[in-house]
Amino acid sequence: MTSADIYLDHNATSPVLACVRDALPSLLGTYGNPSAPYGLGQSARRAVSAARESVAFLIGASSAEQVVFTSGGTESSNLAIKGVFARLGFGVGGHVVISSVEHPAVAGPAGWLEGQGVSVTVVPVGRDGRVRAADVLSAIREDTRLVSVMHANNETGAVQPVEEIGAALRDRDVLFHVDGVQAAGKLPVSVESLGCDLYSVSGHKFGGVKGAGALYVRDRKRIGWVQQGGHQEWGLRAGTENVPGICAMGLAARAAAENLAANVRIQRACRDVFDSLTHRVPMARLNGHPEQRLPNTTNLCFLYADAMSVCMALSVQGIFIGTGSACASHRKEPSRVLRAMGLSDMAAYCSVRISTGPGTTIEQAKSAAEMTVQAVERVRLVTAPEAIGECGDDCPCFVDAAADSGS
Ligand code: PLP
């Protein structure tokens, strides 16, 4: 990266915040083992406790003791989903409800549970990338133990109706896990008002370093351990704590919470610039809900312009955007999320994700948008038919007819 480069892939990972970078030498110096009784260990323990307070503050937890540190979002969701059944006992059956646009960090452990005799219902989303709360609730059965719905989608930014689901689950004996990896630090989060039991976060999505995350656990008695070893984190996450990573996440959480309103304002303005590409580029569409969306995310389909080619054309100009979820973008498969929304394979292959962060300026957004217009034009010179017409809402290029007919 040079100072002229424009990084627009914050949903994949975020740059380390300056306040975290400046503190890193002293964080690395806090090398004692938090379990050790002498001074060095105890100062590491105190630093971890301070980080716990900051993460609790970011997500509106009523007690810091409800925050369990992990290695990141993937581990947090694995602990949440498997941990519920570790407590109940594997082999007792049971049922889990998830949405069709969950990150592999949730879909993966849910699939693993199926192998343990748990049944899983996957609730579809609409064309806007949002699941309907009523559909989630009507999927609940007598033996449902857990509902897991993400707060905001990593690809489209679509914000899910988690508050509505949480309110409806309050009086039922069904645990509610929310994958908040994309929401924490970008939206105001209150696990108390969401009414969730479990909430996953990841430090590297809001300015911390990679390898540190957290799981909010309302009541530790409701989940069991899935990793045997030491008794760190109340026995829920065995292994010596990643003290510098946890402290970096704590600092980033504090900064994200304090600057949230200002960050949202600027990111919305940048998002408007990228959204306006739907008017500037022919055959371009916004994927995902226009309003119920993260303030930093625009997912656009530029039909006939292969996303990887657009991404590479921008990359040589120092502009970095995403082509799907970070884990899947090296694969030659269309985005699972966009396919679940009913996009055709072709539309999914032609969709890019632009996600800004606290450091993005409106000037950068305007310049990147201009370059995107040119990049799409250049790619289409090679890949598009000679005349690009106008399509209606039900154009088969955009819409998967099979998904539409319900087959
Ligand atoms: N959940 C969502 C919604 C994500 O976007 C990601 C990462 O992109 C994860 C979970 C995984 O988080 P981590 O990279 O910290 O394991």
Side-chain angles (χ1 to χ4, degrees):
M1 288 278 292
T2 71
S3 58
D5 290 345
I6 305 177
Y7 181 72
L8 298 171
D9 202 13
H10 286 252
N11 288 9
T13 195
S14 61
V16 177
L17 287 178
C19 64
V20 174
R21 231 175 16 237
D22 293 347
L24 274 177
S26 105
L27 297 183
L28 292 171
T30 313
Y31 63 84
N33 187 323
S35 301
Y38 43 79
L40 213 54
Q42 289 309 296
S43 57
R45 192 174 188 80
R46 276 193 299 278
V48 168
S49 298
R52 213 183 291 283
E53 296 279 350
S54 298
V55 173
F57 179 65
L58 177 69
I59 60 173
S62 59
S63 161
E65 302 226 324
Q66 293 171 318
V67 173
V68 174
F69 288 123
T70 65
S71 67
T74 301
E75 188 187 333
S76 296
S77 293
N78 268 268
L79 174 58
I81 293 166
K82 295 176 183 167
V84 168
F85 285 86
R87 169 62 71 185
L88 293 169
F90 291 110
V92 297
H95 176 236
V96 173
V97 179
I98 65 170
S99 85
S100 61
V101 292
E102 295 304 310
H103 189 273
V106 165
W112 182 84
L113 282 179
E114 273 188 309
Q116 309 299 310
V118 176
S119 51
V120 177
T121 298
V122 180
V123 180
V125 296
R127 288 243 188 108
D128 59 6
R130 295 185 85 222
V131 74
R132 308 284 169 260
D135 293 345
V136 172
L137 298 171
S138 66
I140 291 175
R141 316 187 314 205
E142 208 140 89
D143 62 342
T144 305
R145 300 287 173 245
L146 176 70
V147 169
S148 182
V149 174
M150 71 202 320
H151 198 161
N153 185 263
N154 41 303
E155 292 190 40
T156 62
V159 174
Q160 305 296 341
V162 282
E163 249 172 71
E164 212 180 323
I165 297 169
L169 290 179
R170 218 158 260 180
D171 303 327
R172 305 174 79 152
D173 191 24
V174 175
L175 291 168
F176 184 30
H177 168 245
V178 177
D179 175 353
V181 165
Q182 291 295 342
K186 294 176 189 152
L187 291 176
V189 176
S190 163
V191 287
E192 285 297 322
S193 20
L194 287 183
C196 61
D197 299 284
L198 301 153
Y199 192 93
S200 301
V201 304
S202 174
H204 76 98
K205 303 290 186 181
F206 53 84
V209 298
K210 292 159 191 63
L215 178 67
Y216 161 81
V217 183
R218 180 184 300 282
D219 177 1
R220 288 198 298 270
K221 290 195 290 297
R222 303 297 300 271
I223 68 167
W225 62 351
V226 297
Q227 176 168 302
Q228 286 70 35
H231 288 90
Q232 291 89 354
E233 301 298 293
W234 301 279
L236 285 176
R237 203 283 177 168
T240 303
E241 298 87 341
N242 169 7
V243 178
I246 288 170
C247 295
M249 175 164 61
L251 289 174
R254 194 57 73 171
E258 284 168 359
N259 300 320
L260 188 68
N263 287 341
V264 167
R265 229 182 357 263
I266 174 90
Q267 286 174 6
R268 267 181 176 278
C270 293
R271 191 183 78 177
D272 286 346
V273 172
F274 294 117
D275 285 5
S276 73
L277 288 172
T278 55
H279 307 299
R280 296 182 61 193
V281 179
M283 296 291 288
R285 287 191 187 200
L286 179 73
N287 295 322
H289 199 283
E291 303 299 331
Q292 299 296 323
R293 187 163 41 118
L294 287 174
N296 78 321
T297 306
T298 301
N299 191 306
L300 293 165
C301 173
F302 299 117
L303 207 59
Y304 301 120
D306 169 63
M308 192 58 83
S309 306
V310 173
C311 177
M312 294 321 290
L314 286 171
S315 164
V316 294
Q317 295 182 291
I319 295 173
F320 306 111
I321 64 167
T323 54
S325 77
C327 324
S329 56
H330 59 274
R331 283 202 239 129
K332 286 250 180 287
E333 283 164 31
S335 150
R336 198 173 48 85
V337 169
L338 299 180
R339 294 289 288 114
M341 290 162 58
L343 266 76
S344 65
D345 276 0
M346 182 190 351
Y349 278 125
C350 294
S351 293
V352 299
R353 175 185 69 184
I354 298 170
S355 53
T356 62
T360 314
T361 64
I362 195 82
E363 289 72 29
Q364 286 180 324
K366 285 181 180 163
S367 156
E370 185 54 44
M371 306 251 221
T372 303
V373 173
Q374 294 166 16
V376 171
E377 263 172 27
R378 277 202 306 279
V379 171
R380 280 180 174 168
L381 282 177
V382 184
T383 55
E386 244 167 58
I388 300 181
E390 290 297 326
C391 289
D393 264 355
D394 54 353
C395 169
C397 299
F398 279 111
V399 180
D400 180 356
D404 250 23
S405 66
S407 56

